[in-house]
Amino acid sequence: MPQSRHKAATPVGSKDAGRDKQSQLESFKSGNAAVLTSNYGVQSPDNHNSLKAGTRGPTLLEDFILHEKITHFDHERIPERVVNARGCGAHGYFKVYKSMVQYTRAAFLQDPEIETPVFVRFSTVVGSKGSADTVRDVRGFAVKFYTREGNYDLVGNNMPVFFIQDAIKFPDLIHALKPEPHHEMPQATSAHDTFWDFASLMPESTHMLMWTMSDRALPRSLRMMEGFGVHAFRFSNARGDTCFVKFHWKPKLGVHGLTWDEAQKIAGVDPDFHRRELWEAIESGNFPEWELGVQLIDAGKETELGFDILDATKLIPEAQVPVQIIGKLVLNRNPDNFFAETEQVAFHPGHLVPGIDFSNDPLLQGRLFSYTDAQLSRLGGANFHELPINRSVCPIHNFQRDGMHRQSINKSRVAYEPNTLGNGTEFRVDGAAQGFQSFPELLDSNKTRCRSASFDDHFSQATLFWNSQTAVEKDHIVEAFRFELSKVDVPDIRQRMVDNLAHIDLKLATRVAATLGIGSPNPKAAAGRPGFRDYRITNKVNEDAALSSAGKLAGSVKTRRIAILVADGVDAAPLRRLQQDLVDAGAICKLVAPRLGTVSTSSGRSLVVDHTFGSMPSVMFDAVLIPGGKTCVLTLSALGDAIHFVLEAYKHCKTICALNDGAQLLGSLGFGLVGNPETVLVPTQGIMIADARKVLDGQVSRDFIAAIGRHRHWDRINVEAVPA
Ligand code: HDE
């Protein structure tokens, strides 16, 4: 095949799929549909019957059509990723806001006019490919930029630090985290003995544990989480000046989490919750967006940070070095084929372009070896860079040849350099001018397996994180530790872990220990154990608002899901107006009823139902609207599922708006109509009881939308007492 045919114009391709489907349909209708063939183009005579000796006789060995089909099927699976196995992806583009020429020569960071195609894969870390989306876990956030200088991969996470400091501990970490080897349980969770055994013996993991026990490990949506490059990288400009850089992705929709109760229930109701809503957002034209931010640290200034910039268990507080926003990422196209794209995409932190370089972070350095190695086993052979999703958009010229599944048909007698026989096909090696240049760092030191003493403080930033959380966020962290550690059978492990937490904050440790049937936390217990040097840096900042999700509300209702609870007899007029206002503000409204089909309104018309209470419980929504209508309210008030729906939404601190007698459904919560709706006292946050007459002037919609924009009403009363 000629080179020009082999090389796709762009690996992220144009969206021809819709057109293809249309033309296929037309061909089919006109009787010109393509005929089913074997993989080698031979037309198949029958796709329902294998070749047999007689209609009831044995199948014949010579049925090559059957063999081919079954053989291909037998080999349809490839090994899943050893970590980050469960993922979903999307195509899009990246655009820089202003030229970064002063800091980096990377071409895709120069011109605000240029859109660089990207493919992004989000993932959970621990679970198998078929595990649920909403488990408590770190999320992978891997971005492949198809730049004109080659592919650049920013393979990050949704948390800015990591569990370990040195790559050599990664297999131990993952072995401890994955299901226990004797019985392969539990799936996709850190809540078991081996993980906490390891974590409690590895004090360097403490800071990351604070993140994984926080709501950051339970994103409401992949579109509502931050991303981080984690390690320090280097920028270098055309003059060779360098600085350190930390990368941040800031979601346009704000940072929001699920509650732990919701996350667990959603895992059963819709294990594909995150991938489904990413897909649906893109299909509906609500393209997820993030802004790229950088923290830049002049070379030499890194020593003034107060901790080691090479230590991946540390973040650079934004209160110390502000994040500069430099560009935006938009995801605007779903993959055409999950396997070909999302499964076969191969990221690698060593896919760099000129102008971006590594640091000596020992965790990053180990990753540089691991990714290709993992992909050789997962994708088979050395040619996975030729798969459409992995190809660069710029031409590839080199003398690498052959290997399993080679697709390029290289013409020419020479596959070496230098040569004189190549007839002009020899590729120039372009020295200093354009190619990738490693930062010429001066290195003169002994080989050693020692860890730098500057990595020794494992608690100060965990304390910084804890101090930066709101009271509600702190409660969630305490509850998460209690849940996880209560799943640990061995009391000594539970004790060791709370003793470690006492190094962060004694109150935190004491609260966690309270339900675990162990002794009081003792920060001195670990004295002398490896990793516990009595060394603490002084945080330059004591709190950093950027570490809390509370200040990152987008305030908008875009793509928020609103449940409208209906039954026969519903008052449709105010409902329609409110629904329209919500949709205009970007929300998604769904009618939930006792059964599918239609409900009749109080004025004798009918409304189409989207879901039943059984199939789409309240955990699948962000807010609830209860319209009025005598018969409707009577029906719903007598229905356990409808009452549970409201109780659960209340417990999860979601906004609930009831119109007129719809408020009776709140009766089980102790709220209801007290005389005239206008005089109703609404005693707690995010519960609105509105007069339907006021819907028309738009005020009810405005209040409802503003309340949903707060995401949750954490200061709501009596939540613990609600038995949902
Ligand atoms: Fe990874 N990691 N990792 N990792 N990682 C993989 O690559 C590894 C680490 C991250 O969507 C593997 O192709 C080592 C940090 C993401 O395809 C593997 C170490 C961060 C993804 C691997 C780390 C990440 C992976 C599994 C410690 C955040 C999913 C199969 C030195 C900055 C990429 C594969 C995708 C996947 C190795 C630590 C991010 C085994 C050895 C820190 C987002 O190569």
Side-chain angles (χ1 to χ4, degrees), residues 81-84 121 123 140-142 155-157 162 167 170 229-231 347 363 367 370-371 374-375 378:
R81 287 165 174 81
V82 59
V83 285
N84 299 72
R121 183 174 180 272
S123 47
F141 192 137
V155 197
N157 279 345
F162 202 62
F170 193 64
V230 177
H231 315 277
F347 293 95
L363 193 69
R367 294 178 72 200
S370 178
Y371 287 68
Q375 277 138 18
R378 189 168 71 81

Side-chain angles (χ1 to χ4, degrees), residues 93-100 103-104 108-116 118 141 143 145 154 227 235 245-252 288-296 323-331:
Y93 67 86
F94 172 79
K95 225 174 171 179
V96 74
Y97 288 147
K98 56 172 187 185
S99 171
M100 295 298 289
Y103 304 103
T104 173
F108 79 106
L109 295 178
Q110 305 301 321
D111 187 348
E113 295 298 309
I114 289 184
E115 285 184 2
T116 301
V118 299
F141 192 137
V143 184
F145 299 80
L154 182 51
F235 270 165
V245 54
K246 287 246 187 183
F247 292 106
H248 297 245
W249 292 110
K250 303 271 184 195
K252 277 291 193 58
E289 285 187 25
W290 286 260
E291 290 191 302
L292 180 64
V294 289
Q295 285 175 299
L296 300 174
V323 171
Q324 302 178 35
I325 299 298
I326 67 164
K328 85 170 173 181
L329 167 72
V330 179
L331 298 182

Side-chain angles (χ1 to χ4, degrees), residues 455-675:
F455 281 38
D456 272 356
D457 169 30
H458 306 313
F459 302 111
S460 301
Q461 285 209 345
T463 307
L464 169 66
F465 182 80
W466 174 249
N467 290 343
S468 306
Q469 305 302 300
T470 60
V472 170
E473 288 173 316
K474 283 183 175 169
D475 289 348
H476 291 179
I477 292 171
V478 169
E479 282 157 20
F481 272 115
R482 285 177 175 172
F483 177 90
E484 297 261 323
L485 292 173
S486 64
K487 298 273 182 178
V488 170
D489 290 335
V490 178
D492 284 355
I493 298 176
R494 299 198 291 259
Q495 184 71 51
R496 204 159 59 218
M497 198 54 230
V498 295
D499 291 346
N500 287 1
L501 296 182
H503 290 255
I504 303 175
D505 184 284
L506 196 54
K507 269 197 231 126
L508 159 68
T510 309
R511 287 179 66 189
V512 172
T515 60
L516 294 179
I518 50 172
S520 307
N522 174 10
K524 299 220 170 83
R529 207 185 299 140
F532 280 88
R533 286 194 26 183
D534 194 12
Y535 166 75
R536 274 178 98 92
I537 56 171
T538 311
N539 287 325
K540 298 230 163 167
V541 289
N542 291 326
E543 277 182 39
D544 185 349
L547 299 177
S548 159
S549 306
K552 298 176 187 201
L553 300 175
S556 99
V557 297
K558 266 190 106 185
T559 70
R560 293 300 188 140
R561 293 170 54 84
I562 320 299
I564 304 175
L565 311 190
V566 294
D568 287 336
V570 62
D571 282 343
L575 157 64
R576 281 221 182 81
R577 168 65 202 266
L578 206 44
Q579 189 174 355
Q580 192 55 53
D581 289 346
L582 287 163
V583 170
D584 290 347
I588 299 162
C589 295
K590 298 287 177 191
L591 264 58
V592 187
R595 55 177 165 70
L596 288 179
T598 55
V599 290
S600 54
T601 69
S602 53
S603 59
R605 306 177 80 162
S606 60
L607 295 175
V608 177
V609 173
D610 296 298
H611 303 292
T612 62
F613 290 108
S615 66
M616 203 57 79
S618 88
V619 290
M620 300 295 287
F621 294 94
D622 295 289
V624 184
L625 173 62
I626 312 169
K630 199 171 166 207
T631 328
C632 168
V633 172
L634 275 177
T635 308
L636 295 183
S637 302
L639 194 68
D641 281 350
I643 293 166
H644 182 261
F645 199 101
V646 178
L647 287 177
E648 199 176 42
Y650 184 87
K651 193 173 180 71
H652 296 148
C653 301
K654 293 171 180 170
T655 304
I656 304 174
C657 173
L659 298 179
N660 288 1
D661 49 350
Q664 283 172 24
L665 209 55
L666 300 178
S668 47
L669 291 164
F671 312 131
L673 279 181
V674 189

